[in-house]
Each structure stands twice: as C-alpha cells, then as structure tokens.
Amino acid sequence: MSRRNWSIQDAKNRFSEVVEAARRAPQTVTKHGKPAVMVVDVTEYERLRRLERAQAPSFADVLLAMPQDDREFPRAKVRMRESGI
C-alpha cells in the first residue's frame, strides 16, 4: 500500500516518490498538518477538467434562462468557463 499523505518537507525530499505514488492514487501534501495541495496523475486531472467543463452552463444557456420581461430577477452565481484559447 502506498503512502497518500506527505508533509511539504517530505514531499520536497522525496518528490520522485510522490510523483510515482500520484500515478496510482491522489497524494495529499500538508502544510502545518493541514492539507495544502493534491498531486494527481495528469490523466485524472484532465478527466476532472472535462467533467467540470461539461457541467458548466454555456453562455447561450445563461442568456436563455433570463426572464423576458422587465421584472427583477436574482442573478445566478456562476463561474465563467475557460475559453480554451
């Protein structure tokens, strides 16, 4: 079973091991005992990015969801998608 939690100092000193472990499972790097970052395999990262983009509404969807009259409406808090440029 591979290690999954690393202090920053351990991660710096054993970076190759962290990278190899991350190819099998996400690795947590802690700072002052609290999770600071995750190291993940690039394939998993790309999968998560595709999933995030697939769930983000398109600009057209946002426009079409707006009311068509002069009434006030609540503004949705949405995160803008990356343009991919």
Side-chain angles (χ1 to χ4, degrees):
M1 178 111 139
S2 66
R3 187 172 171 178
R4 293 192 184 212
N5 290 299
W6 306 80
S7 70
I8 285 180
Q9 190 62 46
D10 284 345
K12 284 176 19 180
N13 292 338
R14 299 166 67 187
F15 189 67
S16 292
E17 288 179 59
V18 175
V19 170
E20 285 305 312
R23 298 178 96 185
R24 294 184 297 276
Q27 303 296 301
T28 303
V29 178
T30 61
K31 184 173 184 177
H32 304 297
K34 296 180 180 175
V37 298
M38 295 292 293
V39 181
V40 298
D41 182 71
V42 69
T43 305
E44 176 66 2
Y45 174 77
E46 290 169 351
R47 184 189 71 79
L48 292 170
R49 294 289 292 158
R50 282 191 306 274
L51 181 63
E52 180 182 50
R53 282 192 298 271
Q55 293 176 346
S58 70
F59 183 62
D61 291 337
V62 172
L63 289 177
L64 290 170
M66 292 176 60
Q68 301 296 312
D69 55 25
D70 292 332
R71 290 185 292 169
E72 291 285 325
F73 61 93
R75 294 183 181 263
K77 292 184 181 184
V78 295
R79 193 165 61 104
M80 300 301 287
R81 294 189 315 168
E82 290 182 23
S83 66
I85 296 175

